[in-house]
Amino acid sequence: MKKTGPVILGFLVGTLMLIQFFTPNEWIEARYNNVLDWKQVVFGITLILGVISLFVYHWKKIEKRSEGWGYSVVTVAGLLFMIVVALIFSPERGPYPWMFDHVQAPMQATMFALLAFYVASASYRAFRARSFHAALLLIAGVVVMLGRVPLGELIGLQHVSSWILDYPNLAAKRGILIGVGLGMVSTAIKIIVGIERTYLGKGA
Amino acid sequence: MAGAPDRGLFHRLMNIDRRVIFLIIALSVALPILLPLNLPIGASREADAYYEAMEALRPGETMIFSFDYEPDTMAELDPMSLATLRHAFRKDVRVIALTNYAGGAGIAERILHEAAEEHGKEYGTDYVFLGYNPDWSATMLRMGESIRRTFPTDHYRTPTDEIPLLAEVDSYANVPLLVTVTASALAEYWVIWAGGKFDQKVIAGATAIQAVLVYPYFQTGQLSGFLGGLKGAAEYERSIDVDGAGVRGMDAQSMAHLLIVVFILIGNVAFLLHRMQGRRGG
């Protein structure tokens, strides 16, 4: 029953969700909305689990004085501070939005901006035309990079850049999308009919 | 290194100290901001289509605007969000805003209020901010049934049943246009869930990286228009005649792209000459 129960449940819910897509029946529509409600509740609980897991992981590092435990102190302090100020002052006013605007936002933006420096350094060191295919990729990359900024438009590269995006890029992307779509459909069918059971854990 | 054999100019060129590269990049980005070059900005098909979709909205109509990004990409995406909202409010289009990222709420509040204040718009009747709802896929699907049921309260905990704007608009059926500005694959999911299931017209703003991924949806017409990266924001700003951070950033981005291409070329020339030298040597 431990294995059969979830498979039966998967079959019933999977079939119901499949049918609801094609029917305007009110009862099925209501059950579909129930499933969406549960999905959001489960999602909310996973967020709480994530916060607890993050806290426990860093707390253990602090207790054991593991390498880099000082960073864990900052993480735990930041986590607790934001939770406490949100509970006391509400997330809309007071220290919570101030911390977001003046600490979190600049830090996240800075981290992302640093990518420009690493991309420049990496492109210099690693982006080499070692083979014919690598050379093709390199040329396409250079054309698209320049074609997507005003400087490239001055020399007419935007047309070549658009052609690369419209044809070779789209052909590859479509192939991948169709493959992913077919894979999702087949996996869904396998789960509904109980062939695919890896979601039940090892040995299922 | 002391005593190490001199392996030539090309070898040294291939091993330039990365701090030198960092310094050159910093200068190439900072200088054009301080001393603008005013390079001409053209308009792409996708940005034109985005503008046309916004222009097609009539005064009094309502659009949904989803801030689907967090502060890491705000330098690239804030300009298109602000320009879109300025365009909407200028046309007296009402806005229902939300975010599918917890970190997007602060960004949404700042940009919404800035654009609304500029045009004297009132919260609750001209625009509303629903806030963050966990689980984007369920949010997108449920909004097709009922926005008020999906968001029982707005971001400021006012019951959505008491908000005048939402008394008139409660699902995609009453919304002629949905805009998502995103740094992730959410543009695709809005197309699939809101567009595919509810026939909702969708346009998107995306980071330059994501733009490549949303291109297929624009070509098929599932996405009615999109802005790709800061360049897309600059094109759109020019279309609505309000230059902002997108236009200001174009010179810096041009120089940074050019510099990276120059780095790639130097690196490859040095690599090829070094390889040829090695073959000759034996």
Side-chain angles (χ1 to χ4, degrees), chain A residues 119 127 140-149 152 161, chain B residues 253 256-258 260-261 264:
Chain A
V119 166
F127 209 178
V142 165
V143 169
V144 171
M145 268 191 76
L146 285 179
R148 303 294 297 167
V149 289
S161 165
Chain B
Q253 196 175 45
H257 280 212
L258 178 68
I260 289 174
V261 168
I264 291 172

CSV table of all heavy atoms in Angstrom, one decimal, chain A residues 119 127 140-149 152 161, chain B residues 253 256-258 260-261 264:
chain,number,residue,atom,x,y,z
A,119,VAL,N,33.5,38.3,-17.2
A,119,VAL,CA,33.2,37.9,-18.6
A,119,VAL,C,34.4,38.4,-19.5
A,119,VAL,O,34.9,37.7,-20.4
A,119,VAL,CB,31.9,38.4,-19.1
A,119,VAL,CG1,31.7,38.3,-20.6
A,119,VAL,CG2,30.7,37.6,-18.5
A,127,PHE,N,38.1,32.1,-24.6
A,127,PHE,CA,37.3,32.0,-25.8
A,127,PHE,C,38.3,31.9,-27.0
A,127,PHE,O,38.6,32.9,-27.7
A,127,PHE,CB,36.4,33.3,-25.9
A,127,PHE,CG,35.1,33.1,-26.7
A,127,PHE,CD1,34.2,34.1,-26.8
A,127,PHE,CD2,34.8,31.8,-27.3
A,127,PHE,CE1,33.0,33.9,-27.5
A,127,PHE,CE2,33.7,31.6,-27.9
A,127,PHE,CZ,32.8,32.7,-28.1
A,140,ALA,N,30.0,34.0,-34.6
A,140,ALA,CA,28.6,34.3,-34.3
A,140,ALA,C,28.5,35.2,-33.0
A,140,ALA,O,27.7,36.2,-33.0
A,140,ALA,CB,27.8,33.0,-34.2
A,141,GLY,N,29.2,34.8,-32.0
A,141,GLY,CA,29.2,35.5,-30.7
A,141,GLY,C,29.6,37.0,-30.9
A,141,GLY,O,29.0,37.9,-30.4
A,142,VAL,N,30.7,37.2,-31.6
A,142,VAL,CA,31.2,38.5,-31.9
A,142,VAL,C,30.2,39.4,-32.6
A,142,VAL,O,29.9,40.5,-32.3
A,142,VAL,CB,32.6,38.5,-32.6
A,142,VAL,CG1,33.0,39.8,-33.2
A,142,VAL,CG2,33.7,37.9,-31.7
A,143,VAL,N,29.6,38.8,-33.7
A,143,VAL,CA,28.7,39.5,-34.5
A,143,VAL,C,27.4,39.9,-33.7
A,143,VAL,O,27.0,41.1,-33.8
A,143,VAL,CB,28.3,38.7,-35.8
A,143,VAL,CG1,27.1,39.3,-36.5
A,143,VAL,CG2,29.5,38.6,-36.7
A,144,VAL,N,26.9,39.0,-32.9
A,144,VAL,CA,25.7,39.3,-32.1
A,144,VAL,C,26.0,40.3,-31.0
A,144,VAL,O,25.2,41.2,-30.8
A,144,VAL,CB,25.1,38.0,-31.5
A,144,VAL,CG1,24.0,38.3,-30.5
A,144,VAL,CG2,24.6,37.1,-32.6
A,145,MET,N,27.2,40.2,-30.4
A,145,MET,CA,27.5,41.1,-29.4
A,145,MET,C,27.6,42.5,-29.9
A,145,MET,O,27.1,43.5,-29.3
A,145,MET,CB,28.9,40.8,-28.8
A,145,MET,CG,28.8,39.9,-27.6
A,145,MET,SD,30.4,39.8,-26.8
A,145,MET,CE,30.5,41.3,-25.9
A,146,LEU,N,28.2,42.7,-31.1
A,146,LEU,CA,28.3,44.0,-31.7
A,146,LEU,C,27.0,44.5,-32.3
A,146,LEU,O,26.7,45.7,-32.3
A,146,LEU,CB,29.5,44.1,-32.7
A,146,LEU,CG,30.9,44.1,-32.1
A,146,LEU,CD1,31.9,44.1,-33.2
A,146,LEU,CD2,31.1,45.3,-31.2
A,147,GLY,N,26.3,43.5,-32.9
A,147,GLY,CA,25.1,43.9,-33.6
A,147,GLY,C,24.0,44.3,-32.6
A,147,GLY,O,23.0,44.9,-33.0
A,148,ARG,N,24.1,44.0,-31.3
A,148,ARG,CA,23.1,44.4,-30.4
A,148,ARG,C,23.3,45.7,-29.6
A,148,ARG,O,22.7,46.0,-28.7
A,148,ARG,CB,22.9,43.2,-29.3
A,148,ARG,CG,22.6,41.9,-29.8
A,148,ARG,CD,21.3,41.8,-30.5
A,148,ARG,NE,20.2,42.0,-29.5
A,148,ARG,CZ,18.9,42.3,-29.9
A,148,ARG,NH1,18.6,42.3,-31.2
A,148,ARG,NH2,18.0,42.5,-29.0
A,149,VAL,N,24.4,46.4,-30.1
A,149,VAL,CA,24.6,47.7,-29.5
A,149,VAL,C,24.7,48.8,-30.6
A,149,VAL,O,25.0,48.4,-31.8
A,149,VAL,CB,25.9,47.7,-28.6
A,149,VAL,CG1,25.7,46.9,-27.4
A,149,VAL,CG2,27.1,47.2,-29.4
A,152,GLY,N,27.6,48.7,-33.2
A,152,GLY,CA,27.5,47.7,-34.3
A,152,GLY,C,26.5,48.1,-35.4
A,152,GLY,O,26.7,47.8,-36.6
A,161,SER,N,23.3,40.1,-37.2
A,161,SER,CA,22.9,39.7,-35.9
A,161,SER,C,21.5,39.2,-35.8
A,161,SER,O,21.2,38.1,-35.3
A,161,SER,CB,23.1,40.9,-34.9
A,161,SER,OG,22.5,40.6,-33.7
B,253,GLN,N,27.6,50.5,-22.8
B,253,GLN,CA,27.4,49.1,-23.2
B,253,GLN,C,28.1,48.9,-24.5
B,253,GLN,O,28.8,47.9,-24.7
B,253,GLN,CB,26.0,48.8,-23.3
B,253,GLN,CG,25.8,47.3,-23.3
B,253,GLN,CD,24.3,46.9,-23.3
B,253,GLN,OE1,23.5,47.4,-24.0
B,253,GLN,NE2,24.0,45.9,-22.5
B,256,ALA,N,31.8,48.7,-23.8
B,256,ALA,CA,32.2,47.4,-23.1
B,256,ALA,C,32.1,46.2,-24.1
B,256,ALA,O,33.0,45.4,-24.1
B,256,ALA,CB,31.2,47.2,-22.0
B,257,HIS,N,31.1,46.2,-24.9
B,257,HIS,CA,31.0,45.1,-25.9
B,257,HIS,C,32.2,45.1,-26.9
B,257,HIS,O,32.8,44.1,-27.2
B,257,HIS,CB,29.7,45.2,-26.7
B,257,HIS,CG,28.5,44.7,-26.0
B,257,HIS,ND1,27.4,44.1,-26.6
B,257,HIS,CD2,28.2,44.6,-24.7
B,257,HIS,CE1,26.6,43.7,-25.7
B,257,HIS,NE2,27.0,44.0,-24.5
B,258,LEU,N,32.5,46.4,-27.3
B,258,LEU,CA,33.6,46.5,-28.3
B,258,LEU,C,34.9,46.0,-27.6
B,258,LEU,O,35.7,45.3,-28.3
B,258,LEU,CB,33.8,48.0,-28.7
B,258,LEU,CG,34.9,48.3,-29.7
B,258,LEU,CD1,34.7,47.6,-31.0
B,258,LEU,CD2,35.2,49.8,-29.8
B,260,ILE,N,35.3,43.9,-25.2
B,260,ILE,CA,35.3,42.4,-25.0
B,260,ILE,C,35.7,41.8,-26.4
B,260,ILE,O,36.5,40.8,-26.4
B,260,ILE,CB,34.0,41.9,-24.5
B,260,ILE,CG1,33.9,42.3,-23.0
B,260,ILE,CG2,33.9,40.4,-24.6
B,260,ILE,CD1,32.5,42.0,-22.4
B,261,VAL,N,35.1,42.3,-27.5
B,261,VAL,CA,35.5,41.7,-28.8
B,261,VAL,C,37.0,41.9,-29.1
B,261,VAL,O,37.6,41.0,-29.6
B,261,VAL,CB,34.6,42.4,-29.9
B,261,VAL,CG1,35.1,42.1,-31.3
B,261,VAL,CG2,33.1,42.0,-29.7
B,264,ILE,N,38.9,39.4,-27.2
B,264,ILE,CA,38.8,38.1,-27.8
B,264,ILE,C,39.7,38.0,-29.0
B,264,ILE,O,40.4,37.0,-29.2
B,264,ILE,CB,37.3,37.8,-28.2
B,264,ILE,CG1,36.4,37.6,-27.0
B,264,ILE,CG2,37.2,36.6,-29.1
B,264,ILE,CD1,34.9,37.6,-27.4
